Amino acid sequence: MKEKFEFNPFAGVLEEDLGKILVPIFNIDAISYQIEHADSLAIEFIGKQGRGKTTHLRYLQKQFNKYPIFLLNTTNANISEMMTHEADVVFVDSIHHLSIADRIQLFRSKRVVIYTTHWSRKYACVLTNKKHYSIPFKGITVATLRSVIDKRLQLASRNKIVIDDLFTEKELKSLIRKFKDNYRGIINHLYEQYQ
Amino acid sequence: MSKAVLEKEIVIEESTDNYEVSGYLSITSSETIDVDVIGGMVYLEARGRMASKKREFMSFRISNRKTLQANVPYKIPFSFTLNDVEIGTYKGKNVDIAYRCEARIHVEDDDIGKVDRSFFSKVKSFVTSDDSLKTSAYFYVEDTTSTYKIEETTRTLDFKTNLMMSIIIAILFAGIYLFLIPEYNVGYIALGLIVLLLILIVTKMYMKNALGDVTIETLQDEDAFLCTIKKTKNFNLANQYLYYRIIEKVVDDRGTSSTTYRSTLYTSEKKKLVNHRDYAQLKFTYPTSRNWHSNELGIGGVEIYWEMHLVGTSYLGFVLKYTTGFFVAQRR
């Protein structure tokens, strides 16, 4: 099978290829409209790790290059850069790295904040009188998983190939039984198998 | 007039240790079209269990203006040298690092409309943002000449906590503590956990002090290296042996939580330390694979490192371990 592919199809994707492998779980156009026109809004991508929150956030931000994205982690969670940025819309990955006070300050000063989180930040929105819209990243279907896998296989293929059901329905169901809706767990497992 | 279908393939024939690369572009058009220029781009790509990364490495010219006659196969040879190479190619367990050579065929503006695009898909695109047609191939540069050179230095080994011993201490402590406390509540349980943690820290410190410091001195010895272990007289573990490991570390920082993957690429022969008092000298060979030198690979989150392990058994039967990292460079 390996000769069909240029690289491991289940490796992390390049920034430029995000749109090619994404299977959107929400209407991108509707969200985009809200981002551009809402007066005060917080959009929350909520779910456990490996469900696709960050991939969706990064993809959505690529549609709005004028608005910045801040990828926070334990060593990089400084709010000052966000506050000094002139944009009134910000994308924030892993907002839990900010303190409650910083989150409130951020929600007060920016018109729209789109962020990923494991736990709802609804109360920060209530305190800042910000409209709150939550998108849960939960659940998986065989059809979605097939689409996710097929797009990756297509991207890694040497030529434009027809992905002739490399994975049977039984195999996909077995992956879902083992990893539930943890897409990254499934993709990492397939990476290991391929490698 | 029917549309021109271009069949194209880029082939890398040879890539040498000196980073001289040669190959050819084969191209056939079903209709006669004029090509303005064919450019070549080389990228360095790291793909693995992390957000993959790509870096533009160099560009070169494959061909100048050319007319492709209908149904005539063309084979256009090219060669280039990769200069200032900091990172070699690498096939690992959690990451692959490879070069990708891409040919960009810029069709004359007047003929661009003649090219058939029906075979382009949204996922697999064969056309670039500037309307040129592209084809690419990955290649690895096989290292056949380099060797390893260890950093000649002295390092103190770190004493590692023995998990089994910690579990036994925890069980013993829990048994006594739960028997002694007057009632089960959150306060007592929290206090118990704090005391247990302190006991584990004190036990580790006591054992470390009782055994004393162990240092290793590393020295290059032609195509191998020498490791001299210097220990205190109190260091009296049984069945002592020494070995080293080469580990690939990849930090997957995709998403809201990061995960670190560590895979052992190589484990050396385990060498027994027999009948030595203050010090012992052991000789280790390097692995036959050539590009596993200590390296952060210049790509965020990807690293190869070497680790020395000294193992021994205490008189209570617990296996105790000392480790330290050490640096091994590539020698060309």
Side-chain angles (χ1 to χ4, degrees):
Chain A
M1 188 178 84
K2 281 191 173 181
E3 67 278 5
K4 283 185 177 176
F5 301 104
E6 291 184 302
F7 50 83
N8 188 327
F10 308 106
V13 293
L14 296 169
E15 189 78 27
E16 66 195 45
D17 291 332
L18 271 179
K20 294 174 186 167
I21 56 104
L22 190 82
V23 180
I25 71 156
F26 52 77
N27 185 325
I28 301 279
D29 292 339
I31 293 282
S32 301
Y33 182 86
Q34 288 297 322
I35 291 170
E36 287 291 38
H37 296 95
D39 290 334
S40 177
L41 177 66
I43 302 173
E44 178 175 274
F45 292 178
I46 185 170
K48 292 182 190 170
Q49 72 171 60
R51 269 64 179 177
K53 302 182 297 295
T54 305
T55 309
H56 277 76
L57 187 83
R58 286 165 65 199
Y59 174 72
L60 191 59
Q61 187 270 337
K62 276 168 75 77
Q63 317 307 307
F64 296 97
N65 267 336
K66 57 186 171 178
Y67 303 137
I69 184 165
F70 298 94
L71 305 168
L72 306 184
N73 54 44
T74 45
T75 55
N76 172 32
N78 193 345
I79 194 172
S80 57
E81 201 187 336
M82 290 183 223
M83 298 307 292
T84 51
H85 201 287
E86 59 188 15
D88 63 347
V89 176
V90 288
F91 292 80
V92 184
D93 185 38
S94 305
I95 202 164
H96 56 271
H97 289 298
L98 292 179
S99 66
I100 296 170
D102 284 348
R103 280 200 295 271
I104 289 171
Q105 192 187 356
L106 180 71
F107 285 176
R108 280 211 173 109
S109 63
K110 300 295 179 186
R111 182 175 59 82
V112 180
V113 182
I114 309 106
Y115 59 91
T116 62
T117 179
H118 294 312
W119 304 101
S120 178
R121 309 293 160 181
K122 193 175 174 181
Y123 295 110
C125 294
V126 172
L127 288 171
T128 53
N129 203 22
K130 208 166 194 63
K131 197 176 159 195
H132 175 255
Y133 182 58
S134 188
I135 300 174
F137 282 70
K138 198 177 178 184
I140 189 168
T141 62
V142 170
T144 314
L145 181 59
R146 183 181 294 287
S147 183
V148 167
I149 290 175
D150 282 358
K151 283 188 171 194
R152 283 177 169 269
L153 294 171
Q154 195 73 255
L155 182 69
S157 65
R158 289 197 185 282
N159 300 298
K160 190 197 170 195
I161 59 164
V162 177
I163 307 296
D164 41 0
D165 287 345
L166 284 174
F167 290 85
T168 63
E169 179 136 346
K170 195 178 165 190
E171 286 167 331
L172 295 177
K173 280 182 176 168
S174 160
L175 285 169
I176 292 173
R177 250 196 317 277
K178 188 170 180 186
F179 295 97
K180 300 193 171 60
D181 60 352
N182 185 352
Y183 282 100
R184 202 184 318 150
I186 293 171
I187 296 298
N188 274 340
H189 171 74
L190 295 175
Y191 177 91
E192 229 171 316
Q193 299 288 310
Y194 182 97
Q195 198 77 350
Chain B
M1 186 183 167
S2 59
K3 293 270 187 180
V5 175
L6 262 73
E7 284 178 15
K8 54 208 182 313
E9 187 187 15
I10 194 163
V11 176
I12 301 295
E13 289 181 306
E14 195 181 21
S15 48
T16 69
D17 274 1
N18 298 325
Y19 292 96
E20 284 159 5
V21 183
S22 60
Y24 63 87
L25 171 71
S26 69
I27 182 167
T28 309
S29 174
S30 62
E31 302 292 333
T32 300
I33 55 167
D34 287 326
V35 169
D36 197 19
V37 66
I38 302 175
M41 297 286 291
V42 180
Y43 300 95
L44 181 70
E45 288 188 8
R47 292 180 182 268
R49 293 166 88 174
M50 63 208 209
S52 293
K53 292 167 179 94
K54 171 175 138 180
R55 189 193 299 170
E56 195 176 307
F57 201 82
M58 63 172 287
S59 61
F60 63 103
R61 183 163 288 212
I62 295 175
S63 168
N64 291 324
R65 190 180 175 82
K66 196 175 189 72
T67 299
L68 301 177
Q69 298 294 341
N71 299 317
V72 176
Y74 293 87
K75 187 173 172 180
I76 308 166
F78 61 80
S79 62
F80 57 86
T81 304
L82 297 167
N83 293 316
D84 303 324
V85 172
E86 294 165 13
I87 308 167
T89 52
Y90 169 74
K91 279 186 181 181
K93 291 192 175 175
N94 296 295
V95 63
D96 288 345
I97 298 174
Y99 288 99
R100 183 164 63 86
C101 181
E102 182 179 281
R104 291 187 171 193
I105 304 153
H106 298 267
V107 178
E108 275 275 336
D109 286 349
D110 293 344
D111 284 356
I112 193 85
K114 293 183 192 170
V115 179
D116 181 18
R117 289 160 177 256
S118 61
F119 60 95
F120 302 145
S121 77
K122 276 184 181 174
V123 175
K124 190 73 188 173
S125 173
F126 298 95
V127 65
T128 65
S129 55
D130 63 355
D131 264 355
S132 59
L133 308 176
K134 66 178 180 181
T135 180
S136 66
Y138 283 83
F139 65 94
Y140 289 82
V141 180
E142 197 183 341
D143 186 349
T144 56
T145 55
S146 77
T147 54
Y148 292 107
K149 184 170 188 332
I150 196 165
E151 184 190 22
E152 297 187 342
T153 187
T154 302
R155 290 171 189 272
T156 303
L157 279 78
D158 297 322
F159 179 67
K160 295 289 169 191
T161 305
N162 180 287
L163 184 65
M164 185 54 72
M165 195 170 73
S166 301
I167 290 171
I168 290 172
I169 290 172
I171 291 170
L172 285 174
F173 172 78
I176 297 166
Y177 184 76
L178 293 174
F179 179 72
L180 290 176
I181 55 173
E183 58 176 306
Y184 300 135
N185 64 32
V186 178
Y188 276 116
I189 289 169
L191 179 68
L193 289 173
I194 292 166
V195 174
L196 174 63
L197 189 67
L198 288 172
I199 289 173
L200 292 175
I201 292 169
V202 169
T203 309
K204 185 181 173 183
M205 283 169 67
Y206 170 77
M207 294 194 71
K208 186 175 180 293
N209 288 333
L211 293 168
D213 282 343
V214 184
T215 58
I216 59 163
E217 190 182 347
T218 47
L219 204 67
Q220 182 78 10
D221 183 26
E222 294 179 352
D223 287 338
F225 71 91
L226 296 171
C227 186
T228 306
I229 305 165
K230 293 175 182 169
K231 63 181 188 65
T232 63
K233 283 176 185 166
N234 299 332
F235 190 83
N236 54 1
L237 299 179
N239 302 323
Q240 295 170 32
Y241 59 92
L242 191 76
Y243 66 97
Y244 72 90
R245 269 189 184 156
I246 305 172
I247 295 160
E248 173 197 87
K249 178 183 162 192
V250 171
V251 179
D252 181 2
D253 55 0
R254 291 172 290 177
T256 41
S257 310
S258 74
T259 311
T260 301
Y261 300 106
R262 284 187 178 84
S263 296
T264 301
L265 299 173
Y266 179 76
T267 303
S268 76
E269 186 189 347
K270 291 175 178 172
K271 305 230 172 195
K272 282 197 169 182
L273 281 81
V274 203
N275 296 330
H276 74 282
R277 283 181 158 246
D278 301 338
Y279 80 97
Q281 193 173 61
L282 298 168
K283 187 173 183 174
F284 286 97
T285 53
Y286 291 115
T288 47
S289 287
R290 293 171 191 276
N291 57 354
W292 287 344
H293 52 285
S294 309
N295 198 341
E296 288 194 4
L297 299 174
I299 293 163
V302 182
E303 189 184 346
I304 292 174
Y305 64 91
W306 295 46
E307 228 174 40
M308 187 64 76
H309 296 257
L310 171 62
V311 182
T313 310
S314 74
Y315 64 90
L316 286 173
F318 293 114
V319 175
L320 301 177
K321 192 183 268 188
Y322 283 79
T323 64
T324 185
F326 62 105
F327 188 83
V328 177
Q330 188 178 38
R331 188 171 57 170
R332 287 194 166 275

